[in-house]
Amino acid sequence: MFQASAPGKIILFGEHAVVYGRPAIAAPLHRLQATAQVMPGRPGQGVVLELPDIGQRATLADAASQPLAQVALLTLAALGLDQQPDWTVSLRSTIPLASGLGSGAAAAAAIVAALAGAAGVTFSPAQLSALVYESETRFHGTPSGVDNTVIAYRQPVWFVRGQPPQPFALSRPLTLVVADTGIASPTSMAVGDVRRGWLADPAAYEAWFDAVGQVVQAARRAIEEGDVAALGRLMDRNQASLQAMQVSCAELDALCLAARQAGAWGAKLSGGGRGGNMIALASPEQAEQVATRLLHAGAAHAFVTEIR
Ligand code: PMV
């Protein structure tokens, strides 16, 4: 009846510091997608979510405990549907869970867009982003909003919390290797630890956030100039600050080192850290070699992708 998809995402620069008002640059990962399909259901069933990837089935009565039921409820309200339509929404996703690739926000965005589409409405990226954000805040405290933004706009974005996002086009495509530590790491825990660290030693954390902010500003210039070597060095600097904030881990550090040794221009964790994924910037010619080296260095998965 109606189907909609949303991409995964990576954070190129600025995770964690973005929660404290510094800029971040994020980009969609179009090769990973969450797809929601709305089909007519049985009369009287209301909205039912089929979530086979996590072996769950939910109704809107589960909204207090199931984030995707929550976002469906918010969407019906935004659509002005007082009465639940009898729709079955089934969600499939190729985005690994809890690994910093935006699985939760993409699933929510796909559900919002599919429900809207079934009701004959097309939300703007800003509307889509706001609905996903609202549902995320109910479960994840105070996310910066970078995930829902890049996923809803489907374009690289320059993001500062509380400001309108600036989608932009890259001057040239970037070849990235994305590798998974295989360690599931909920973002909320890393974000909570940074919060506790910042409260205990605000001066140190503010200095690291500032250092990240400067890296992100410089990265924007390097992206505009297509200077990939400079961009790689900036990724390394960003990673050093993330290490200082203690959101990296031995496995992420080992993968970043292996990527650099295999000829990548630079490497860093992407997302909440403590596990999940890292990214390495490489030339198109060297990328497969970097991916192979990452697998040898212990990555559970690695793939090459192009950011445009
Ligand atoms: O959702 P993740 O794991 O890709 O990370 C989100 C980025 C953080 O800066 C760590 C948190 C946030 O709300 O921006």
Side-chain angles (χ1 to χ4, degrees):
M1 189 179 146
F2 201 88
Q3 183 169 306
S5 296
K9 70 100 211 345
I10 46 135
I11 297 184
L12 277 172
F13 292 96
E15 51 275 274
H16 288 290
V18 70
V19 176
Y20 299 81
R22 276 59 165 194
I25 298 174
L29 275 183
H30 292 293
R31 63 174 279 171
L32 299 177
Q33 295 273 337
T35 302
Q37 198 173 29
V38 179
M39 287 157 301
R42 283 181 295 100
Q45 71 162 45
V47 172
V48 173
L49 302 180
E50 307 268 12
L51 310 168
D53 295 339
I54 53 169
Q56 279 187 26
R57 192 166 192 273
T59 69
L60 300 196
D62 302 314
S65 59
Q66 166 47 258
L68 298 176
Q70 172 72 47
V71 83
L73 192 65
L74 291 169
T75 306
L76 295 190
L79 291 168
L81 295 175
D82 306 331
Q83 251 201 311
Q84 278 189 49
D86 296 321
W87 289 343
T88 297
V89 185
S90 61
L91 181 86
R92 297 313 296 250
S93 177
T94 58
I95 310 169
L97 300 174
S99 61
L101 297 180
S103 59
I111 287 175
V112 174
L115 286 172
V121 173
T122 307
F123 284 136
S124 68
Q127 287 171 312
L128 181 57
S129 180
L131 276 167
V132 176
Y133 182 73
E134 194 177 337
S135 75
E136 297 234 308
T137 55
R138 305 206 179 185
F139 289 90
H140 305 302
T142 51
S144 67
V146 63
D147 280 19
N148 49 283
T149 301
V150 65
I151 284 165
Y153 283 76
R154 298 167 170 269
Q155 241 187 292
V157 291
W158 171 266
F159 180 86
V160 180
R161 189 172 189 168
Q163 294 181 13
Q166 297 175 28
F168 67 97
L170 302 182
S171 60
R172 61 185 261 196
L174 298 175
T175 303
L176 288 181
V177 186
V178 182
D180 190 351
T181 57
I183 303 168
S185 170
T187 299
S188 55
M189 279 181 64
V191 169
D193 286 348
V194 171
R195 170 78 46 182
R196 280 183 282 279
W198 176 71
L199 287 171
D201 189 353
Y205 276 78
E206 286 293 329
W208 292 321
F209 299 153
D210 281 342
V212 171
Q214 281 161 15
V215 163
V216 183
Q217 298 279 358
R220 185 175 186 160
R221 285 193 294 278
I223 288 172
E224 279 161 7
E225 289 160 11
D227 187 346
V228 281
L231 210 51
R233 287 193 295 275
L234 290 164
M235 286 170 78
D236 292 346
R237 273 175 57 192
N238 195 158
Q239 173 65 12
S241 297
L242 290 162
Q243 283 174 325
M245 291 175 217
Q246 294 179 36
V247 290
S248 193
C249 62
E251 292 82 356
L252 282 165
D253 292 343
L255 293 182
C256 291
L257 185 66
R260 290 180 202 118
Q261 285 172 346
W265 281 306
K268 62 182 276 293
L269 68 85
S270 181
R274 297 273 171 80
N277 281 272
M278 53 77 68
I279 54 174
L281 181 66
S283 67
E285 298 74 35
Q286 241 165 349
E288 286 299 342
Q289 190 180 313
V290 172
T292 304
R293 183 75 80 90
L294 287 169
L295 289 169
H296 285 149
H301 308 279
F303 64 88
V304 176
T305 191
E306 206 175 63
I307 305 290
R308 298 184 161 271

